[in-house]
Amino acid sequence: MDLALLEEKLSSYGGSGYYLFESFIIKILQAEATSRGQTLIYHSGNNIAAYDAVAPEGFGDIPGPVAIEIVRSLSPNRIAKELQRHISLSQDGASSLLLISIGSYPVDAKALIAKNFPSAKNIVLWGQNEIQALINRHPQVSAEVADNLFSNRFRVALEGKYEDWKEQRKTVISAIRENYMSGRFSMLLGAGVSSSAGLPDWDTLLNSLFVSMLTEDGVGGKNADPDQISSIVKRLRQIDGPSALMLARYIRKGIAADSQSEQGKFIKAVTEQLYGLRNKKYSISSPLIKSIANLCAPSRTGAKVKSVLTYNFDDLLEREIKARGLSYRSIFEEVDLASPEELPIYHVHGFLPENRDEYQNINKATLVFSEEGYHQIYREAYHWSNLIQLNSLKETSCLMVGLSLTDPNLRRLLEISAKSIDKPKHFAFMKRITYESFSTEGEKPAVRAPSGLVKRFLDRHHKLNEGVLRELGVNIIWYEQYEEIPTLLQSISKGV
């Protein structure tokens, strides 16, 4: 089997091709270790500080324990970075380091190591020649894995070493803090942030707009009962439920046509419903919004958050930032720029502040409310919101809060930005499914299976999610209760 042909095949898979190749190499390394009576322990998912694999008793002729790291290519800077990292992790007991480069590495790499890291011992570099030699020693395993690349990728994810997710989360938070302190850090905010302050979720907003539209149209006569209309809307969505984007388009056409004046009517209707439906039992300055503002506040050494990108329409973060006397600029159109002293808050899907009079040119904001808005962004590769998102994803480490990561455009941009990296550099909070919430519905059992089987299934489900998002360059920060997120954010800013 020829390594060059495999590389050519994997290049057609885009950003995920690297992770398929990495999984292929893991399996070949495992075959080599087994043939020599050695053990190979490999990791998967959120490998922030861990190595890709460890061989406790040694690997081949390399004395153990051996830490194994697989990278795209080894430049002098990357070699120095990996050696510094290896030295800092030496308490893990790995005395040797095997660096495997899928691409090339400098011909004078060993001389550079000897000169700059004289105390580093048993540092071994492998490139394409060594990988090909390994393939040649295990042709049957290599052929089998190469023919089943995708299933092998998930098999590696599932068979990798399981770590306690709460302990693993501490390592992830530590990595986020390191990126935060560097100043090359951005935040991406989704609907969960607004919901923490009682604003309606997407479905509630759409249903309310739908009921409002039908009531104003006189569907039920002059004395129509909104509750009756609401029950009709609920049943319609059950029987013939369109996607949220399709329904949003339907509502947009129902409330306003294409004239400028009627567009204003539509924006006014959405704004009124957005803030009018807010659940007042929640503080408008929620603990989550406060913790986000804390991260945005400059320290004595300067600002740590380079920018905030929000997919929400509201201005709740701006209110909290303003109340603290911090300098910021809400950006919702292409021509606007923040000054060096201002924190840019990009509203990439549009901006609907409760008081529109406070913002100039607010009528120029593109509102990505329904299919038309999404189609515009998909159609225009150089739309300003796409460029802002892609630049942040490529140039900074991004922390995503309140995002489900199901938006197809965001996933597309993540995949583009992940093409040139071999380790995820972004982070996203994701809610973990507990055994209790999964196995019961109310007081009744929801599944007919032994608890052990259900727990193993959930472990695998979470592990696969880690692997899928890793291919998009994202590490998961698991949580079980929403109330945990502000505390976790505080640990990033305070280092505790």
Side-chain angles (χ1 to χ4, degrees):
M1 177 184 165
D2 188 90
L3 179 62
L5 293 177
L6 179 60
E7 281 188 293
E8 184 179 347
K9 177 182 179 180
L10 290 170
S11 65
S12 64
Y13 294 125
S16 64
Y18 166 76
Y19 294 103
L20 293 173
F21 204 168
E22 181 186 70
S23 300
F24 169 82
I25 291 175
I26 287 288
K27 279 299 182 183
I28 308 305
L29 292 173
Q30 187 182 43
E32 175 70 7
T34 301
S35 70
R36 291 172 174 261
Q38 297 167 330
T39 302
L40 185 77
I41 303 170
Y42 54 87
H43 300 264
S44 59
N46 290 331
N47 291 328
I48 300 296
Y51 298 103
D52 288 320
V54 173
E57 301 92 15
F59 184 78
D61 298 327
I62 308 170
V66 183
I68 301 172
E69 192 68 15
I70 304 167
V71 299
R72 285 185 185 271
S73 61
L74 282 173
S75 64
N77 286 339
R78 184 61 187 271
I79 292 173
K81 180 180 177 181
E82 291 298 333
L83 286 176
Q84 289 166 352
R85 180 169 173 265
H86 176 63
I87 291 168
S88 70
L89 291 172
S90 59
Q91 65 266 28
D92 288 346
S95 60
S96 302
L97 175 64
L98 171 58
L99 283 174
I100 302 176
S101 172
I102 291 175
S104 59
Y105 62 83
V107 293
D108 59 346
K110 293 181 180 179
L112 289 171
I113 294 171
K115 178 181 177 181
N116 298 316
F117 297 89
S119 61
K121 305 298 181 184
N122 297 323
I123 307 300
V124 180
L125 303 181
W126 277 16
Q128 293 183 337
N129 290 338
E130 289 81 3
I131 297 173
Q132 183 65 63
L134 205 61
I135 291 171
N136 293 343
R137 285 202 294 276
H138 305 280
Q140 185 174 346
V141 174
S142 300
E144 181 184 343
V145 175
D147 288 340
N148 299 277
L149 288 168
F150 284 97
S151 60
N152 176 66
R153 169 78 185 110
F154 288 108
R155 193 159 59 245
V156 166
L158 293 174
E159 293 174 358
K161 180 184 177 182
Y162 275 76
E163 299 177 47
D164 179 84
W165 68 270
K166 289 186 178 180
E167 287 300 315
Q168 189 183 63
R169 185 173 68 182
K170 294 177 183 178
T171 306
V172 177
I173 293 294
S174 177
I176 298 172
R177 175 167 170 76
E178 184 179 337
N179 283 283
Y180 171 72
M181 295 303 294
S182 75
R184 298 185 299 274
F185 190 80
S186 297
M187 298 191 74
L188 275 61
L189 310 181
V193 175
S194 300
S195 296
S196 73
L199 287 189
D201 60 24
W202 187 240
D203 269 354
T204 302
L205 179 61
L206 289 180
N207 282 340
S208 181
L209 285 166
F210 202 0
V211 171
S212 176
M213 179 189 78
L214 294 177
T215 303
E216 289 182 10
D217 281 352
V219 169
K222 292 183 179 180
N223 300 315
D225 184 342
D227 289 338
Q228 293 176 359
I229 300 294
S230 180
S231 68
I232 294 172
V233 168
K234 182 179 179 180
R235 186 57 180 159
L236 175 64
R237 294 199 68 187
Q238 289 175 342
I239 298 296
D240 188 29
S243 74
L245 288 177
M246 288 173 61
L247 179 59
R249 184 173 192 151
Y250 182 74
I251 293 170
R252 186 183 182 108
K253 294 300 181 184
I255 293 178
D258 294 326
S259 70
Q260 190 65 35
S261 62
E262 291 193 321
Q263 288 296 319
K265 178 184 177 183
F266 171 72
I267 287 173
K268 183 174 183 292
V270 177
T271 304
E272 288 177 351
Q273 294 290 343
L274 178 65
Y275 295 100
L277 290 170
R278 192 178 81 80
N279 188 337
K280 302 300 192 298
K281 78 174 185 179
Y282 295 96
S283 169
I284 201 163
S285 180
S286 70
L288 179 56
I289 291 175
K290 284 182 178 179
S291 62
I292 292 169
N294 286 339
L295 285 171
C296 294
S299 66
R300 287 180 298 174
T301 56
K304 304 302 180 188
V305 176
K306 188 174 181 180
S307 62
V308 174
L309 284 70
T310 177
Y311 297 84
N312 302 325
F313 300 144
D314 62 80
D315 62 347
L316 301 191
L317 178 61
E318 278 89 347
R319 297 188 202 186
E320 181 65 26
I321 295 286
K322 185 178 181 179
R324 295 168 182 241
L326 303 177
S327 182
Y328 71 93
R329 178 176 287 272
S330 302
I331 299 176
F332 44 82
E333 59 174 331
E334 184 173 12
V335 297
D336 206 0
L337 293 172
S339 71
E341 295 78 27
E342 294 174 322
L343 169 69
I345 303 177
Y346 295 99
H347 286 265
V348 294
H349 280 180
F351 191 30
L352 294 176
E354 191 168 20
N355 185 357
R356 296 176 67 82
D357 295 336
E358 293 183 1
Y359 296 90
Q360 295 182 349
N361 300 324
I362 188 64
N363 292 329
K364 295 183 179 180
T366 301
L367 190 63
V368 184
F369 181 79
S370 61
E371 279 188 319
E372 305 100 306
Y374 275 90
H375 291 169
Q376 181 183 357
I377 289 180
Y378 268 85
R379 186 171 60 248
E380 299 177 25
Y382 298 104
H383 190 279
W384 75 270
S385 68
N386 283 333
L387 295 178
I388 289 296
Q389 291 174 78
L390 193 55
N391 181 67
S392 296
L393 293 170
K394 290 185 74 69
E395 301 298 326
T396 66
S397 173
C398 297
L399 175 60
M400 305 172 198
V401 186
L403 282 166
S404 63
L405 290 181
T406 57
D407 183 307
N409 191 51
L410 176 56
R411 293 177 72 89
R412 178 179 69 88
L413 295 172
L414 280 167
E415 189 154 25
I416 292 171
S417 67
K419 284 183 179 179
S420 57
I421 62 173
D422 50 34
K423 299 294 175 189
K425 67 172 185 174
H426 306 306
F427 305 87
F429 284 100
M430 301 290 286
K431 193 172 191 298
R432 199 172 180 90
I433 303 173
T434 64
Y435 167 75
E436 291 74 20
S437 64
F438 185 81
S439 59
T440 59
E441 189 172 6
E443 296 182 357
K444 297 180 180 179
V447 292
R448 294 193 302 272
S451 60
L453 176 60
V454 173
K455 289 176 181 178
R456 286 196 300 274
F457 168 81
L458 290 176
D459 282 340
R460 284 175 168 248
H461 169 73
H462 294 132
K463 206 73 173 174
L464 285 174
N465 272 324
E466 288 178 353
V468 168
L469 285 182
R470 186 169 182 249
E471 292 182 1
L472 295 178
V474 179
N475 296 288
I476 293 179
I477 316 152
W478 292 114
Y479 68 92
E480 290 181 331
Q481 304 296 330
Y482 292 108
E483 294 76 17
E484 296 176 65
I485 300 178
T487 304
L488 294 169
L489 290 176
Q490 182 180 358
S491 68
I492 294 169
S493 60
K494 302 297 183 182
V496 294

